[in-house]
Amino acid sequence: MRSEISMTVDRGAFPDAVTPWEQESWRAAALDWIEGCLAERGLRADGELRVRLRPWSVLARVPVADGDAVWFKANPRSSAFEGPLTAALARWVPGHVLEPLAVDAARAWSLLPDGGDLFRQVLARETVGPEVWEDLLRQYAGVQRTLTPYAGELERLGVPPARTLDLPEVFDRLLAADTALDPGARARVAAVRPRLVDWCAELAAVGVADTLEHADLHDGQLFRPAPGRFTFFDWGDAAVSHPFCSLRVTGEQVRERYGAQALPRLRDAYLEPWTGAGRPAADLRRAASLAWRLSSLGRAASWSRMFPDPGRPAPGVTQSAEWLLSLLDEPAL
């Protein structure tokens, strides 16, 4: 494969990012693995390999002769769980996620089928109302509910635990590791901790169990293969935490696109699958507001899960600090 395929490399806004792709032996092994996986299915690569390098992943689109392209992904060690997790999700919630063609858990590699149109591509070419976002969140919430009994298994697969009542300890670790906050900002963030403990206790008391939380559910992290159908992918930022934390990223996109007036309906659509069990709607809405704020911790933590660069500070340090600071903001819901 190495001698038969041309390549283009996209480094985006990270021209100096250090990834394993720079190592010739690693790159050769990855290309051989892709070739072998395709051969097992009677397929072969044919065309230009498009490689996307970021501090948090190596992603390559591999064109296939007489078929749809496939996608190779390599995760850093701290999110090596993504391949095994994606394979497990294909068993537990089939039809809602991509089913990997191959996973090498030891090397944190996976080979995935093409999922069709990204929702982002649909948004670029079609007029899409907020009701479509409401529908995708109903479907996503249904996936989360289905996965609730698997929370322990998710952690055994390596998905980071960030249980609701343990979030104060997550906060402590993030603040201790932070090197970007100035002394004044650090003091303001640290002063939030007593209230954070209360928020976590109140959120847990609503009685919605921790489950899989995507942590970065935006329009580039899901496919829309057909109207009314969505496929969720890219689980490298995921954690086992309060499900409602997922509202933050999607909600901010909806607010930017349609205005703040679209958020109450979006929230209520997401909460529909969680009704019942004697939970008043007001309690669920309060829980959504608490989780919106606490989701800052999951976003801060995910920025640290990147390929390490021993010559420089962690590339996500600034972003992690910004998310910690956002704990001081009033939630939009």
Side-chain angles (χ1 to χ4, degrees):
M1 178 178 178
R2 281 172 276 165
S3 61
E4 298 170 358
I5 193 164
S6 60
M7 304 179 201
T8 60
V9 177
D10 165 26
R11 294 180 177 271
F14 305 92
D16 300 323
V18 175
T19 73
W21 188 260
E22 283 73 44
Q23 303 169 26
E24 183 177 355
S25 60
W26 187 96
R27 187 170 64 248
L31 295 175
D32 286 344
W33 183 76
I34 294 168
E35 183 178 33
C37 292
L38 291 175
E40 288 177 2
R41 293 173 171 267
L43 304 172
R44 64 178 179 85
D46 181 29
E48 185 176 68
L49 189 76
R50 297 210 305 262
V51 183
R52 180 179 180 271
L53 302 181
R54 299 294 186 266
W56 52 86
S57 69
V58 171
L59 186 68
R61 182 185 183 275
V62 184
V64 173
D66 302 319
D68 293 330
V70 299
W71 296 82
F72 166 80
K73 185 171 185 178
N75 292 81
R77 296 310 310 168
S78 51
S79 62
F81 61 83
E82 186 178 4
L85 169 62
T86 304
L89 294 179
R91 299 191 302 271
W92 297 335
V93 284
H96 295 287
V97 297
L98 293 177
E99 181 176 358
L101 302 173
V103 171
D104 186 325
R107 293 188 285 192
W109 294 349
S110 53
L111 195 65
L112 299 161
D114 189 82
D117 286 340
L118 287 173
F119 189 42
R120 178 172 295 169
Q121 295 170 317
V122 175
L123 293 171
R125 69 169 186 257
E126 298 177 14
T127 300
V128 175
E131 70 281 356
V132 177
W133 296 76
E134 295 163 16
D135 190 31
L136 79 84
L137 277 185
R138 284 190 197 93
Q139 293 183 36
Y140 171 69
V143 168
Q144 289 183 296
R145 283 205 64 182
T146 300
L147 293 172
T148 299
Y150 297 98
E153 181 62 25
L154 290 167
E155 291 183 359
R156 285 188 286 275
L157 286 170
V159 180
R163 302 274 185 160
T164 304
L165 290 175
D166 295 333
L167 287 176
E169 286 69 36
V170 174
F171 171 84
D172 292 342
R173 291 196 299 271
L174 288 168
L175 193 59
D178 179 82
T179 59
L181 289 171
D182 63 54
R186 176 177 293 275
R188 293 196 303 275
V189 172
V192 170
R193 194 184 192 282
R195 285 187 289 157
L196 187 144
V197 172
D198 292 339
W199 296 332
C200 292
E202 184 181 356
L203 181 56
V206 174
V208 175
D210 295 320
T211 184
L212 187 64
E213 201 274 282
H214 188 286
D216 196 23
L217 189 64
H218 58 70
D219 57 8
Q221 309 280 47
L222 61 150
F223 297 106
R224 199 210 64 174
R229 286 184 52 214
F230 298 93
T231 305
F232 306 98
F233 76 104
D234 204 341
W235 299 93
D237 293 318
V240 177
S241 193
H242 198 283
F244 294 6
C245 290
S246 291
L247 267 171
R248 174 75 170 268
V249 172
T250 315
E252 287 183 340
Q253 280 202 306
V254 167
R255 178 173 57 177
E256 182 177 348
R257 181 174 284 267
Y258 305 103
Q261 67 274 10
L263 287 180
R265 282 191 49 162
L266 184 82
R267 172 202 60 202
D268 291 348
Y270 173 78
L271 293 176
E272 280 180 21
W274 304 99
T275 57
R279 300 187 192 104
D283 287 357
L284 288 172
R285 288 171 178 163
R286 170 62 177 166
S289 180
L290 291 166
W292 180 288
R293 181 172 233 153
L294 292 168
S295 67
S296 299
L297 299 175
R299 295 300 300 132
S302 71
W303 272 106
S304 67
R305 300 207 287 267
M306 297 183 177
F307 291 117
D309 181 350
R312 301 179 185 176
V317 164
T318 301
Q319 290 85 352
S320 180
E322 290 175 356
W323 279 103
L324 283 175
L325 273 171
S326 75
L327 280 167
L328 306 176
D329 300 335
E330 287 298 318
L333 292 176

